[in-house]
């Protein structure tokens, strides 16, 4: 499995890991515009011919706090559907059996 993070027009992913409880321990850092609404986390399963999505999560920027250091993180339930208003993502729905531990925070520029 691997994780894909999409924010505004940027996209980054982890390497793929095996096992039923993979741990990526990977930091993502993006410079973003203040006009964004949130970001998407996707969990994918690597396939022989094609990959399949295990779950998706929309995190609005309003739910993200500022921090100066890493924290313990929070468990987030992944969903199977993305809610859109036209081309704009509004959220996710229909929980799956998958959860992901994320430590999400805003950091001030260096």
């Amino acid at each position: 499995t691997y994780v894909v993070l999409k924010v505004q027009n940027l996209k980054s992913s982890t390497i793929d890991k095996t096992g039923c409880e993979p741990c990526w321990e990977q930091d993502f850092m993006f410079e973003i515009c203040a006009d964004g609404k949130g970001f998407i986390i996707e969990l994918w399963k690597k396939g022989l011919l094609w990959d399949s999505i295990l779950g998706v999560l929309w995190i609005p920027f309003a739910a993200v706090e500022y921090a100066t250091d890493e924290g313990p993180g929070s468990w987030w339930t992944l969903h199977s559907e993305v809610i859109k208003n036209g081309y704009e993502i509004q959220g996710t729905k229909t929980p799956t059996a998958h959860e992901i531990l994320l430590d999400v925070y805003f950091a001030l520029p260096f």
Side-chain angles (χ1 to χ4, degrees), residues 34-90:
D35 63 348
K37 302 247 189 285
F39 59 98
I40 285 281
I41 302 285
E42 297 174 343
L43 180 64
W44 288 85
K45 180 180 177 185
K46 199 93 162 140
L48 191 58
L49 297 176
W50 55 82
D51 299 350
S52 56
I53 193 161
L54 297 174
V56 63
L57 174 65
W58 167 254
I59 300 178
F61 287 144
V64 179
E65 297 182 8
Y66 283 90
T68 56
D69 203 6
E70 294 178 13
S74 300
W75 285 99
W76 299 76
T77 300
L78 298 172
H79 298 91
S80 61
E81 297 179 66
V82 175
I83 303 167
K84 288 186 176 183
N85 182 7
Y87 291 108
E88 188 174 293
I89 296 173
Q90 301 289 309

Side-chain angles (χ1 to χ4, degrees), residues 1 17-24 43 54 75 97-99:
T1 54
K17 297 274 188 157
T18 59
C20 61
E21 292 185 12
C23 183
W24 295 278
L43 180 64
L54 297 174
W75 285 99
H98 304 290
E99 291 185 329

Side-chain angles (χ1 to χ4, degrees), residues 1-4 12-18 22-26 28 43-44 46:
T1 54
Y2 61 96
V3 175
V4 175
S12 190
S13 63
T14 65
I15 60 170
D16 56 304
K17 297 274 188 157
T18 59
C23 183
W24 295 278
E25 297 280 338
Q26 185 166 338
F28 294 100
L43 180 64
W44 288 85
K46 199 93 162 140

